């Protein structure tokens, strides 16, 4: 099973709203990722959690706030977003380290976010 | 820093034919992973195939195979017997394993949009 789930599938929010994106995996992976993807572009890494601790923040604005409540869940809290933040937000997971392709990242279906 | 180049922004192929997508990369590392991901218009990024650099044998997954040329730093994807469902954006990606001192970062190419025509 290589399934990563994300909710909601679509989200429309105003610039003053607060919303959250959710990601879940049950593969026993201990690394989880948030990516932002604009149309026709590759994903851009935002955050990485390893063993529930933030290990990488790619200089993301503070209006994006990640949270990893446990090893299976990853949230992205959104507040005071800008229209340019509209994009597809992808979650991924992998093992932290290992052999036999364990570090391969598996992606969820994404949340399509529109900021008005 | 590693870079990944996909020189074909768009390609098309007739159903049942074979198509090859190119990918080159630049690295000074000796051990690393290479991946091809597929993202159909429905948007989910799906792993197509992966290759470990220390393995000389080219990876294959059903109709998908790679031509891995380590010295030339080339990692092309061949799709045989193309199907309409292969229509997607294809991304080539590079990663240095953490066991080799790497980070969690995937380095992506800009992608190749493949259209399979009936």
């Amino acid at each position: 099973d290589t399934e990563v789930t994300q909710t909601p599938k679509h989200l429309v929010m105003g610039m003053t709203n607060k919303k959250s994106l959710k990601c879940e995996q049950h593969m026993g992976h201990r690394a989880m990722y948030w990516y932002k993807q604009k149309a026709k572009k590759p994903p851009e890494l935002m955050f990485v959690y390893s063993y529930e601790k933030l290990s990488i923040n790619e200089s993301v604005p503070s209006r994006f706030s990640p949270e990893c409540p446990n090893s299976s869940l990853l949230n992205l809290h959104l507040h005071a977003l800008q229209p340019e933040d509209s994009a597809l937000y992808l979650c991924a997971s992998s093992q932290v380290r290992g052999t036999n392709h364990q570090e391969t990242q598996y992606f969820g279906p994404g949340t399509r976010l529109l900021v008005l | 820093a590693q870079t990944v180049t996909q020189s074909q922004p768009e390609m098309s192929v007739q159903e049942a034919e074979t198509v090859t997508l190119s990918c080159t990369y630049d690295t000074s590392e000796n051990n690393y992973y290479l991946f091809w991901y597929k993202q159909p218009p429905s948007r989910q990024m799906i792993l197509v195939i992966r290759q470990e650099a220390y393995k000389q044998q080219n990876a294959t997954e059903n109709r998908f195979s790679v031509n891995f040329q380590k010295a030339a730093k080339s990692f092309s994807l061949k799709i045989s017997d193309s199907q309409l469902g292969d229509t997607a954006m294809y991304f080539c990606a590079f990663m240095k394993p953490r066991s080799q001192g790497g980070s969690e970062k995937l380095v992506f190419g800009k992608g190749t949009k493949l259209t399979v025509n009936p």
Side-chain angles (χ1 to χ4, degrees):
Chain A
D1 183 12
T2 57
E3 186 177 19
V4 177
T5 59
Q6 290 187 243
T7 54
K9 291 185 178 180
H10 301 273
L11 179 62
V12 180
M13 60 186 292
M15 289 188 284
T16 58
N17 292 157
K18 288 185 179 180
K19 297 286 184 183
S20 296
L21 310 184
K22 180 180 175 180
C23 173
E24 191 167 5
Q25 58 87 15
H26 295 286
M27 295 179 278
H29 290 169
R30 301 304 297 275
M32 297 186 75
Y33 313 76
W34 280 116
Y35 288 87
K36 174 183 178 179
Q37 187 180 26
K38 289 283 198 178
K40 302 182 181 180
K41 299 290 186 181
E44 299 173 18
L45 184 65
M46 300 175 70
F47 302 103
V48 181
Y49 275 82
S50 294
Y51 297 110
E52 296 90 67
K53 292 185 179 179
L54 184 65
S55 59
I56 292 180
N57 177 341
E58 290 287 283
S59 302
V60 179
S62 60
R63 57 185 184 268
F64 295 91
S65 176
E67 178 195 20
C68 190
N70 59 56
S71 60
S72 300
L73 285 174
L74 185 66
N75 299 319
L76 186 62
H77 303 298
L78 314 173
H79 174 56
L81 293 192
Q82 303 297 311
E84 59 264 29
D85 297 322
S86 298
L88 180 67
Y89 288 84
L90 295 167
C91 174
S93 71
S94 74
Q95 290 291 10
V96 174
R97 78 172 53 213
T99 59
N100 298 326
H101 311 298
Q102 289 176 319
E103 294 182 47
T104 299
Q105 291 184 29
Y106 295 94
F107 287 81
T111 294
R112 178 76 63 190
L113 174 67
L114 177 61
V115 181
L116 300 176
Chain B
Q2 290 82 16
T3 59
V4 176
T5 302
Q6 294 179 249
S7 59
Q8 306 148 316
E10 294 192 34
M11 295 188 71
S12 63
V13 64
Q14 292 299 121
E15 197 174 6
E17 293 185 347
T18 295
V19 63
T20 298
L21 280 57
S22 67
C23 173
T24 58
Y25 57 94
D26 187 24
T27 184
S28 59
E29 302 296 333
N30 186 50
N31 192 21
Y32 45 87
Y33 299 142
L34 293 165
F35 305 90
W36 279 100
Y37 283 93
K38 164 187 176 181
Q39 190 173 33
S42 63
R43 79 189 179 205
Q44 180 152 11
M45 189 87 73
I46 301 167
L47 177 69
V48 175
I49 201 165
R50 56 197 164 197
Q51 176 85 39
E52 291 168 313
Y54 67 84
K55 290 186 176 179
Q56 292 185 335
Q57 186 174 6
N58 289 326
T60 62
E61 287 288 343
N62 301 315
R63 298 183 294 106
F64 298 87
S65 62
V66 297
N67 183 4
F68 173 49
Q69 301 290 328
K70 190 173 184 179
K73 298 180 183 177
S74 172
F75 184 60
S76 60
L77 175 69
K78 185 172 82 171
I79 306 174
S80 304
D81 185 25
S82 297
Q83 300 176 0
L84 296 178
D86 296 332
T87 292
M89 193 74 141
Y90 287 81
F91 292 100
C92 179
F94 170 101
M95 187 177 77
K96 180 180 177 183
R98 292 186 190 84
S99 58
Q100 302 292 319
S103 71
E104 298 91 338
K105 294 184 181 183
L106 272 173
V107 179
F108 285 96
K110 291 186 176 181
T112 296
K113 182 180 179 182
L114 176 67
T115 301
V116 180
N117 298 309

